[in-house]
Every structure is written in structure tokens, then in C-alpha cells.
Amino acid sequence: MVFDMVAGMIAKQLKVDVKEITADKRLVEDLKADSANVMVMIMDLEDQFNITVDDTAINTLKTVGDVVKYIESKQ
């Protein structure tokens, strides 16, 4: 499942408990990601899911759910 894979990657990147990650959690405000965290996460997601995240889409990925929906739309 895409959500579980994304949640695991985010938990590892941000050093938070995977149980804290829900679809409505905001990456920056709730999970305390900074711009460097977001860029590393994007690169990891691109590698893991064999997709390319459009530069214009990066600013629209605010929540964990946004990330999951974006990945699902690219598969």
C-alpha cells in the first residue's frame, strides 16, 4: 500500500514514530519537516516509486495524504 510505504519513509526521514503519521498530517507544520527534509523526501519517493515529481507539484504537497494521492496519480 502506498500510504504505508510513504509513512515509513517519512518516519525514517523525520525521525518520528510511524504511528503518528496520518493522511491529514501536514509535513511542515505537524511533522516539523524543513525544506531540506522535503527535498530529500521527494528524491527518495522518486527513487522508490520510479516517478518524477514535477517542480510545480512540490508546493502542492502539504499533507501526507497529498503525497500519497500524487504518487497514486503517477502510477
Side-chain angles (χ1 to χ4, degrees), residues 1-2 5 9 14 16 22 33 38 41 43 50 58 65 69:
M1 178 179 212
V2 174
M5 291 177 72
M9 293 172 74
L14 300 179
V16 297
T22 58
V38 172
M41 181 185 69
M43 290 187 295
N50 197 29
I58 292 172
K69 287 178 194 169

Side-chain angles (χ1 to χ4, degrees), residues 36-60:
N37 295 134
V38 172
M39 292 312 297
V40 169
M41 181 185 69
I42 295 294
M43 290 187 295
D44 289 348
L45 292 170
E46 288 177 328
D47 290 342
Q48 179 69 38
F49 293 99
N50 197 29
I51 62 170
T52 300
V53 177
D54 303 320
D55 290 341
T56 56
I58 292 172
N59 293 329
T60 68

